[in-house]
Amino acid sequence: MTKTNELPIGMFDSGVGGLTVLKALRKRCPSEDVIYLGDTARLPYGTKSSLTVSRYAVQCAAELVGRGIKLLVVACNTASAVALTALREAYPDIPVIGVVEPGARAACHATHNHAIAIIGTESTIAGGAYQRAIHSIDAQARVVGHPCPLFVALAEEGWTDGEVPEAVAARYLDPVFNPAPGTESPTVPDTLVLGCTHFPLLAPAIRNVVKAETTIVDSAATTAETVNDELTRRGIKRADSVFGTINYLTTDDVVRFARTGTRFLGTAIGEGEVDLVDI
Ligand code: DGL
């Protein structure tokens, strides 16, 4: 029987966005094997109801758990925001780590003026998971949430710099970060959480809109740190002497996954490395 520390980590996202989290995990825990599942057939999750996202999330987890994993990373803000409880109930024996709590922790650590803005999908923002996670750490924080659904499509299409993403970023973010002179506006947030795994690709366009001193928080690195801590705490970390492998699974076109995924991961994904699964 395979020892627990030799088992892979399972990760899933609605598509390729979670590869930004995988990239951070590879950096923090290079010896771990990872199975990454992108549920591209059903992307986007961000416009769907909590019930539907929870059902999809449990199906993704079932596919990964069935392959034998030692820990599950929910590399999707939408699924982390609405399905974490359902996943933990479905798989009580497997540690389940989402991206919302690590992102909230990083934001509370970064802010000086206790004003934090969150951007994400409609579902992530409407569910209020970030707001709750931040308030559980910093009860006096003022949290504003803004859905930015077009960012997902721009990142998927590779339109991450230039006129179009900058115009979209300005339209979404100017009211919060650059309120018109004379408008009655509350404290401008000094911290912005990229509450969607697709958004780090748009960070340069977003940076053009927010003030230079605004801290932009991407939960990928903090999530990777949380995974490392959990593996260490449970004594299930793989020996450092090996270099881990990655298996990619997708629920839709393998060629598209490899092409768009390469951009998100920042390292080439070959079509031959991706398997199609029906969940
Ligand atoms: N990856 C998803 C997230 O982090 C965004 C894409 C979607 O809407 O499915 O929320």
Side-chain angles (χ1 to χ4, degrees):
M1 212 174 102
T2 317
K3 278 165 62 191
T4 307
N5 59 338
E6 292 299 325
L7 291 175
I9 292 171
M11 293 180 87
F12 78 89
D13 176 42
S14 54
V16 289
L19 293 171
T20 56
V21 183
L22 176 61
K23 188 177 172 181
L25 187 66
R26 283 304 269 175
K27 207 165 152 200
R28 187 65 189 86
C29 305
S31 57
E32 298 297 339
D33 287 342
V34 179
I35 309 177
Y36 179 95
L37 167 62
D39 190 10
T40 47
R42 304 189 287 196
L43 177 121
Y45 280 9
T47 51
K48 299 190 170 79
S49 70
S50 309
L51 219 61
T52 299
V53 173
S54 288
R55 184 160 52 86
Y56 290 174
V58 171
Q59 287 168 351
C60 288
E63 177 66 36
L64 293 166
V65 172
R67 287 168 187 255
I69 56 169
K70 61 181 174 186
L71 180 143
L72 178 69
V73 182
V74 186
C76 172
N77 286 263
T78 308
S80 298
V82 305
L84 220 52
T85 307
L87 288 167
R88 287 181 174 147
E89 277 171 13
Y91 299 104
D93 299 331
I94 292 183
V96 180
I97 292 175
V99 288
V100 169
E101 209 268 323
R105 238 184 305 122
C108 292
H109 190 253
T111 187
H112 296 292
N113 70 358
H114 300 277
I116 299 170
I118 317 288
I119 53 173
T121 64
E122 284 172 60
S123 176
T124 298
I125 301 302
Y130 266 105
Q131 290 88 327
R132 285 191 296 280
I134 289 172
H135 282 142
S136 73
I137 302 166
D138 179 357
Q140 47 160 325
R142 192 179 71 79
V143 187
V144 282
H146 279 269
C148 299
L150 277 182
F151 282 165
V152 175
L154 289 171
E156 285 276 325
E157 288 302 315
W159 287 27
T160 52
D161 52 29
E163 230 178 294
V164 176
E166 278 171 25
V168 175
R171 182 76 181 260
Y172 280 141
L173 301 174
D174 268 344
V176 182
F177 288 94
N178 304 300
T183 43
E184 187 76 34
S185 55
T187 315
V188 172
D190 67 354
T191 304
L192 171 67
V193 181
L194 305 182
C196 174
T197 51
H198 279 69
F199 295 1
L201 272 77
L202 289 144
I206 293 168
R207 170 56 73 196
N208 270 345
V209 179
V210 302
K211 297 193 186 327
E213 58 274 20
T214 307
T215 305
I216 297 180
V217 171
D218 163 6
S219 54
T222 1
T223 302
E225 202 55 51
T226 307
V227 170
N228 184 61
D229 290 350
E230 191 64 22
L231 293 175
T232 308
R233 199 177 64 78
R234 291 177 180 254
I236 54 171
K237 213 169 144 43
R238 198 162 182 225
D240 282 342
S241 51
V242 283
F243 195 66
T245 58
I246 310 178
N247 278 349
Y248 300 99
L249 308 174
T250 182
T251 53
D252 198 22
D253 190 32
V254 164
V255 176
R256 185 175 161 81
F257 181 95
R259 191 181 66 238
T260 53
T262 293
R263 252 188 299 110
F264 281 74
L265 190 65
T267 316
I269 301 174
E271 290 165 22
E273 297 174 65
V274 189
D275 290 322
L276 181 65
V277 286
D278 183 7
I279 58 173

